Amino acid sequence: MTENFFQTFILLLLVTDPFGNVPLFATALAPVAPAKRPRIVVRECLIAFIVLLTFMFFGRHFLQALSLSEVSLRIAGSVILMMIAIRMVFPHPDGVLGKTDGGEPFIVPLAIPALAGPSALATVLLFSRESAGEVAIHVAALAAVVVVWLAVFLGAEKLQKVLGTQVMTAFERLMGLILAAISVEMLLGGVREFVKTL
């Protein structure tokens, strides 16, 4: 049971990639007043948790009801990530996320697709096929991952101060490039899966 928990914990930690999402969170929260940032981080992490938990139990039925495939979910997510990546590499006047009312991001793109992205959603969809006892372990592992998210993102501002603006800007460009590569890989994976269905 313990081994299954840690395997699920590591898998979810890798697919949600909180450390890789630090630049995205830092950029998205830059226009927001410092006092509001912790509340937004907690809110976005909880939304991502609820979305993943919902997909773990009802995702397959939801996709079937809308006549959507996991492939279409992956391809759509890759397009969104590519748009974000381009703005990270080539700064836009409106910022990475475009204009938001009051400068405060809500759900997109922090909760979705940064944390509850196509890879994470596809991963938890696989858990829905297992027994009730195993699903309970997966829920516990997901809750533990959320604790890691909160620790990483609530400390992101301090990390920025330690590294400095120039280093964080360079890191943001690098992560934008990596994010672009990830989005292309997701797109190619979706296309490969689609071709197999023909």
Side-chain angles (χ1 to χ4, degrees):
M1 183 179 292
T2 304
E3 183 180 353
N4 194 1
F5 171 85
F6 281 109
Q7 286 177 346
T8 304
F9 174 77
I10 296 300
L11 176 61
L12 289 172
L13 199 62
L14 289 174
V15 296
T16 57
D17 190 20
F19 298 99
N21 280 316
V22 166
L24 180 58
F25 265 71
T27 303
L29 296 175
V32 179
K36 290 184 177 180
R37 291 173 190 170
R39 176 180 59 82
I40 294 172
V41 167
V42 172
R43 183 191 69 202
E44 296 301 305
C45 288
L46 286 177
I47 290 172
F49 172 69
I50 291 169
V51 169
L52 290 174
L53 196 62
T54 303
F55 251 71
M56 190 179 294
F57 289 101
F58 307 109
R60 198 167 300 281
H61 303 294
F62 177 72
L63 292 179
Q64 288 174 354
L66 295 177
S67 299
L68 297 174
S69 65
E70 294 175 29
V71 173
S72 63
L73 184 68
R74 179 183 296 185
I75 292 175
S78 70
V79 173
I80 293 172
L81 287 179
M82 176 59 78
M83 293 172 67
I84 294 171
I86 290 172
R87 287 196 173 204
M88 289 176 72
V89 176
F90 304 103
H92 191 276
D94 294 338
V96 174
L97 313 176
K99 290 183 178 179
T100 55
D101 294 332
E104 182 177 315
F106 181 64
I107 300 180
V108 176
L110 300 184
I112 304 170
L115 295 175
S119 298
L121 292 173
T123 301
V124 297
L125 275 174
L126 296 177
F127 297 155
S128 64
R129 297 176 178 174
E130 299 181 2
S131 65
E134 290 176 323
V135 169
I137 294 173
H138 297 322
V139 172
L142 178 58
V145 169
V146 173
V147 174
V148 175
W149 292 350
L150 291 170
V152 171
F153 298 131
L154 290 174
E157 192 173 351
K158 292 181 180 178
L159 183 64
Q160 266 192 306
K161 289 179 180 178
V162 171
L163 296 178
T165 305
Q166 288 184 332
V167 174
M168 287 303 294
T169 300
F171 190 55
E172 182 183 344
R173 301 286 189 278
L174 176 61
M175 291 311 300
L177 179 61
I178 294 173
L179 189 62
I182 291 172
S183 67
V184 170
E185 188 61 38
M186 284 171 52
L187 178 62
L188 293 176
V191 171
R192 281 194 294 267
E193 291 298 317
F194 174 71
V195 169
K196 289 179 183 178
T197 64
L198 297 178

